[in-house]
Amino acid sequence: MARPIELGLILEGEDAKEFLEDIRNPKKPTKEQMEMFREAIRIYEEHPVS
Amino acid sequence: MKPFPLDELRVEYLRETHDLSSFHCRNDDLNDFLKSDAIESQEDLISRTYLCLWHDTILGYLALVTDTIEVKLIEKDDGVADYPYPRYPSIKIARLAVEEKFEGRGIGRFLLFWATGKVYQLSNEIGCRYITLDSKQESLGFYENFGFKVIERYAGRNFPPMYLNMYPIVSQMRQEDSGRDA
């Protein structure tokens, strides 16, 4: 049996502070990230599950 | 080696009728999951597994589950004022594997992009702001390029958790699209 799927990511300390800061002041995504995200949507739409 | 042409790839739900015997990736745990646990986990409504195929050959797979990111209470002297929710909704890419013979031909990228596109579409139907995953150490850079952030506390683990905040990307995309339409 494989290791169980771990659910529920818990953030504490600096990781939690960084996460919350990212909610308050999200960093502007890079041009590359935007392009990748748009490509991801396109790939999903062009490959429906059968 | 050349990447597989995207238009020749297919995605199918994992079914009992799929022959998984020849699938082999470099990670034993990911092989075990697909061959021993994935169907049962699917029947139990814990995870859903998708296969990437080229003709009848399984090139890779991924499994998705719903997840949450929980922010543990922060001490007052941490300098962080109140925050709206203790937990945030996410979809987890619980497993992602590529057949060893076809590594380096764009299948991992295809699966990550496909899963991201799927989560984005789901976020139009149900609230979901984050994508989470547990990365192999050697794949950290691959996910970081996409915008995933590793949790520093667990960075030394075998499979350190990572998350991607879709909100700024989706928000920017909507702004760009509305500017284009205007």
Side-chain angles (χ1 to χ4, degrees):
Chain A
M1 187 178 164
R3 73 190 156 90
I5 292 170
E6 286 185 36
L7 297 176
L9 177 57
I10 297 172
L11 303 181
E12 298 174 89
E14 287 302 314
D15 288 317
K17 281 188 351 188
E18 201 173 329
F19 179 84
L20 293 172
E21 180 55 29
D22 184 54
I23 288 176
R24 286 196 186 84
N25 299 302
K27 283 186 196 136
K28 194 174 175 195
T30 64
K31 191 174 170 225
E32 189 187 17
Q33 283 170 352
M34 293 302 299
E35 284 168 3
M36 288 167 98
F37 203 83
R38 285 187 185 278
E39 187 182 351
I41 294 168
R42 196 165 53 245
I43 283 178
Y44 176 70
E45 287 174 348
E46 289 171 357
H47 295 83
V49 192
S50 55
Chain B
M1 276 191 289
K2 285 202 309 192
F4 279 93
L6 292 186
D7 59 359
E8 292 183 15
L9 301 180
R10 227 169 56 246
V11 179
E12 291 187 5
Y13 293 114
L14 172 66
R15 299 185 184 92
E16 296 222 33
T17 50
H18 281 117
D19 179 7
L20 307 171
S21 58
S22 65
F23 182 83
H24 185 268
C25 72
R26 282 179 195 267
N27 185 291
D28 290 340
D29 202 60
L30 294 171
N31 291 323
D32 282 352
F33 176 79
L34 181 64
K35 294 178 184 185
S36 308
D37 301 340
I39 285 283
E40 189 179 336
S41 179
Q42 197 159 272
E43 285 172 356
D44 290 345
L45 307 184
I46 300 297
S47 63
R48 192 67 152 132
T49 297
Y50 302 87
L51 303 178
C52 171
L53 294 107
W54 180 69
H55 301 292
D56 287 331
T57 305
I58 298 171
L59 305 180
Y61 79 90
L62 63 85
L64 298 179
V65 297
T66 53
D67 198 11
T68 57
I69 298 179
E70 180 177 355
V71 184
K72 281 278 185 188
L73 203 60
I74 290 180
E75 302 295 330
K76 279 181 186 166
D77 58 5
D78 277 339
V80 178
D82 57 345
Y83 48 93
Y85 305 104
R87 293 187 188 85
Y88 291 83
S90 67
I91 300 286
K92 182 170 188 173
I93 305 173
R95 298 287 186 269
L96 191 158
V98 176
E99 162 66 47
E100 189 174 4
K101 290 196 290 281
F102 303 116
E103 281 181 0
R105 299 188 61 183
I107 303 306
R109 187 178 191 275
F110 171 82
L111 286 168
L112 173 65
F113 277 50
W114 187 89
T116 302
K118 181 164 189 70
V119 176
Y120 168 71
Q121 293 297 349
L122 285 171
S123 77
N124 289 323
E125 307 290 331
I126 53 172
C128 176
R129 179 168 172 145
Y130 294 91
I131 302 174
T132 53
L133 55 82
D134 300 329
S135 170
K136 290 183 287 184
Q137 281 288 346
E138 58 269 33
S139 302
L140 285 174
F142 170 69
Y143 293 119
E144 279 171 340
N145 279 344
F146 198 90
F148 280 85
K149 174 157 181 38
V150 70
I151 310 302
E152 292 302 330
R153 185 186 181 91
Y154 305 123
R157 269 192 190 179
N158 259 347
F159 291 90
M162 305 181 86
Y163 67 84
L164 174 74
N165 182 3
M166 291 195 301
Y167 173 77
I169 301 173
V170 172
S171 178
Q172 173 84 17
M173 201 166 63
R174 286 176 182 157
Q175 276 179 33
E176 288 175 3
D177 291 349
S178 66
R180 201 173 294 147
D181 295 340

